[in-house]
Amino acid sequence: MKYPETKESVEVELTKTLISYRPVTSTEINSCMDYCSKWLQEHGLVVEVLENKGLKIIVANLPNNCKDLPKVILNGHIDVVPGGENVFKPKIENGKLFGRGSYDMLGAVATMMIVMSDLTKKDSLKYNVSLVLVPDEEKGGQDGTKFLVDNGYLGDFVICGEPTNYDISIQSKGVLQVEITVKGKSAHASRPWLGENAIEKAMDTYKKIKSLKCFEETNAFFSEKSFNLSTINGGSVINQVPDECSFELDIRLLPDQSVEEIFNLIKSEVPNIKISLLRRGEPVMVDENNIFLNRLKTIANKVTKGDIRFIGQYGTADTRFYSEYGVAAVEFGPVGAGHHGPDEFVYVQSLNDYRKILNEFILN
Ligand SMILES: [Zn+2]
């Protein structure tokens, strides 16, 4: 998508301010949260600041929110990945706003804040709208969004402003991370037949697990498989048959595959081998007929004159925490490129369009 150069808008100004807070460490993130909290209050929102493990979380509501209406949550993360000093000095070139977080996702956060401010001026809203700003999505989201959902901050439809170039992510893969420890028997390397080589056994075990049919499956959203041998440890000296080898697998499952069932299947396929569950993460799967979702798509298509698609994400985002509670949560954000890299940018015009889309979605 190509965008022309435009003059600086309020979305851009606010995004630049957020970037300049360099929200990487807890202290920097909390300072940025303090700024957002003050800004939101000054613009008429009712702001609740929560604190969990030293990190601040913001929940901002419209003063005219009506509890009986369906609830829409706008979710944004304040934290960004680290980078050199330069990426925290935002600049505009050729219609692009460069800077760490411009695309992932301080541009979306700033725009969501402005949308909330826009909404305070409207009457008879059809939704109850909340903006939540969380501090730790890049580190897994356990202390931010997970903390919120576990404490009842739920709704009917959630938009996480992750960078999607206006496509709407309605699926993400589940996560299964395991450690497998294989035992053998040590012997002198010159007489390997007297021992049992744990590394060779581990290799056989790895191949057996990888060849399971469930890891061959793909679907319309995910054409590639995500099965990764991440670490391996075994053996101590060259003249010995190793008696132990362990390795870690990071496996991403299709949304309709059960993490628990597949973990049990692995255990039954390689009996007598120690398998530890390191981490599991639930998938995201939003019904393609969801009424909020289709309204969002229609409006986004109208504003951008684009051809917006439903997509799947190989990695995870905070949407999964809502998904665990059966709440439809999508990733939907503006147009840019280079997130987590040195040349991250968002198109200025796309922030403006993003504001229009969110406003129209909530008002119509
Ligand atoms: Zn992000």
Side-chain angles (χ1 to χ4, degrees):
M1 221 173 287
K2 275 264 177 287
Y3 279 109
E5 199 160 353
T6 50
K7 66 176 187 338
E8 285 197 22
S9 61
V10 54
E11 297 86 52
V12 169
E13 279 305 313
L14 187 52
T15 306
K16 284 166 91 176
T17 304
L18 299 184
I19 292 172
S20 64
Y21 272 89
R22 195 187 177 278
V24 175
T25 66
S26 306
T27 310
E28 291 156 347
I29 291 165
N30 283 346
S31 301
C32 189
M33 285 285 188
D34 288 340
Y35 174 83
C36 294
S37 159
K38 191 162 169 273
W39 190 99
L40 289 163
Q41 285 179 56
E42 283 172 3
H43 288 78
L45 279 307
V46 179
V47 178
E48 182 186 2
V49 181
L50 296 97
E51 203 164 324
N52 180 34
K53 297 183 185 165
L55 288 166
K56 292 186 180 179
I57 302 167
I58 289 176
V59 180
N61 283 296
L62 298 171
N64 43 349
N65 261 350
C66 169
K67 284 198 170 66
D68 299 330
L69 294 172
K71 183 162 187 177
V72 169
I73 297 174
L74 306 178
N75 176 302
H77 66 82
I78 290 291
D79 59 318
V80 299
V81 294
E85 278 310 308
N86 263 354
V87 300
F88 294 101
K89 291 175 188 144
K91 61 170 193 272
I92 295 185
E93 268 171 28
N94 303 321
K96 298 169 180 173
L97 169 58
F98 286 87
R100 170 65 77 244
S102 55
Y103 183 42
D104 181 15
M105 54 175 278
L106 297 173
V109 165
T111 309
M112 286 172 163
M113 288 168 67
I114 291 161
V115 167
M116 292 302 280
S117 154
D118 293 341
L119 293 173
T120 60
K121 293 157 203 140
K122 309 285 180 191
D123 305 318
S124 63
L125 291 173
K126 298 192 174 55
Y127 298 133
N128 176 348
V129 191
S130 265
L131 168 68
V132 304
L133 299 179
V134 294
D136 69 333
E137 194 278 340
E138 298 291 0
K139 291 198 173 81
Q142 300 289 330
D143 298 329
T145 298
K146 170 135 177 67
F147 174 80
L148 284 177
V149 297
D150 287 347
N151 283 284
Y153 289 84
L154 298 166
D156 296 290
F157 187 69
V158 182
I159 298 173
C160 291
E162 295 291 356
T164 63
N165 297 342
Y166 294 146
D167 284 328
I168 306 174
S169 171
I170 61 169
Q171 291 200 2
S172 71
K173 287 191 166 189
V175 183
L176 175 59
Q177 294 176 338
V178 293
E179 182 189 47
I180 297 174
T181 307
V182 179
K183 297 280 186 194
K185 191 178 146 204
S186 62
H188 194 281
S190 63
R191 295 176 179 79
W193 62 88
L194 296 177
E196 197 184 1
N197 191 310
I199 295 178
E200 288 181 359
K201 263 176 85 178
M203 285 161 66
D204 292 341
T205 305
Y206 165 72
K207 283 184 196 153
K208 189 159 186 198
I209 296 170
K210 196 182 179 187
S211 68
L212 289 174
K213 253 199 159 60
C214 57
F215 300 131
E216 290 299 314
E217 289 175 27
T218 57
N219 76 10
F221 290 104
F222 301 103
S223 57
E224 302 294 336
K225 290 152 260 181
S226 310
F227 186 99
N228 191 56
L229 174 58
S230 307
T231 70
I232 180 157
N233 279 295
S236 47
V237 287
I238 195 164
N239 59 352
Q240 189 183 45
V241 175
D243 65 349
E244 187 173 304
C245 178
S246 65
F247 60 95
E248 290 175 321
L249 299 175
D250 183 333
I251 308 166
R252 306 297 168 109
L253 304 171
L254 292 177
D256 61 353
Q257 291 180 319
S258 156
V259 176
E260 187 145 6
E261 274 173 29
I262 290 186
F263 180 57
N264 289 332
L265 177 69
I266 295 174
K267 286 202 288 193
S268 68
E269 285 294 319
V270 288
N272 309 318
I273 283 177
K274 188 182 165 202
I275 303 179
S276 315
L277 180 63
L278 299 178
R279 186 185 149 222
R280 59 177 292 172
E282 294 308 312
V284 173
M285 191 158 49
V286 177
D287 180 359
E288 283 191 53
N289 297 313
N290 180 293
I291 182 163
F292 297 95
L293 174 67
N294 283 283
R295 165 125 14 97
L296 178 64
K297 188 182 183 187
T298 305
I299 290 167
N301 266 325
K302 195 182 95 185
V303 172
T304 64
K305 298 181 181 66
D307 185 17
I308 282 149
R309 303 167 301 164
F310 290 149
I311 58 166
Q313 300 281 46
Y314 284 86
T316 60
D318 277 356
T319 45
R320 72 184 187 281
F321 299 120
Y322 293 102
S323 193
E324 277 178 43
Y325 283 87
V327 175
V330 300
E331 293 173 50
F332 172 68
V335 187
H339 56 316
H340 295 207
D343 299 317
E344 175 174 357
F345 71 88
V346 69
Y347 283 101
V348 167
Q349 177 64 42
S350 97
L351 293 182
N352 196 252
D353 287 346
Y354 192 58
R355 177 179 176 184
K356 279 189 208 147
I357 295 167
L358 294 181
N359 261 320
E360 205 167 319
F361 170 70
I362 291 161
L363 291 170
N364 284 337

